[in-house]
Amino acid sequence: MDSKTLFNMGKCQGIIETLGRTMTTLCYDKKRNVNINKKLTANLDGIKTIEVIEIFLKNAAQDNKLRSYSAISYLASFISKQWPCR
């Protein structure tokens, strides 16, 4: 692997970790009766970043309409469906 690939992998991990923490925090806030859209929440307690990445890659590879979505909205939608806030 070259340094650019390693940099991009680290960047990917950072984005998913940050989005996951944010969505988990919003899940807790939603439970306190704050009106938050369920597409912005997820319960990722105990879920490792590598698990999110592996499942995301497997599902994204099978999606024929992937290019019609923005990257961050697709990721947030995927996470909220895969690990819904209950």
Side-chain angles (χ1 to χ4, degrees), residues 18-27 39-42 76 79-80:
T18 302
L19 182 63
R21 279 192 220 111
T22 302
M23 292 179 82
T24 301
T25 300
L26 290 173
C27 180
K39 291 181 180 180
L40 299 175
T41 63
I79 291 173
S80 69

Side-chain angles (χ1 to χ4, degrees), residues 31-44:
K31 290 178 182 180
R32 291 186 288 188
N33 296 324
V34 177
N35 189 18
I36 298 172
N37 187 329
K38 69 179 182 178
K39 291 181 180 180
L40 299 175
T41 63
N43 186 3
L44 293 172

Side-chain angles (χ1 to χ4, degrees), residues 30-60:
K30 184 176 177 69
K31 290 178 182 180
R32 291 186 288 188
N33 296 324
V34 177
N35 189 18
I36 298 172
N37 187 329
K38 69 179 182 178
K39 291 181 180 180
L40 299 175
T41 63
N43 186 3
L44 293 172
D45 282 338
I47 306 297
K48 295 181 180 179
T49 304
I50 192 67
E51 293 176 57
V52 175
I53 293 170
E54 287 172 345
I55 295 170
F56 176 78
L57 290 175
K58 187 186 307 182
N59 285 292

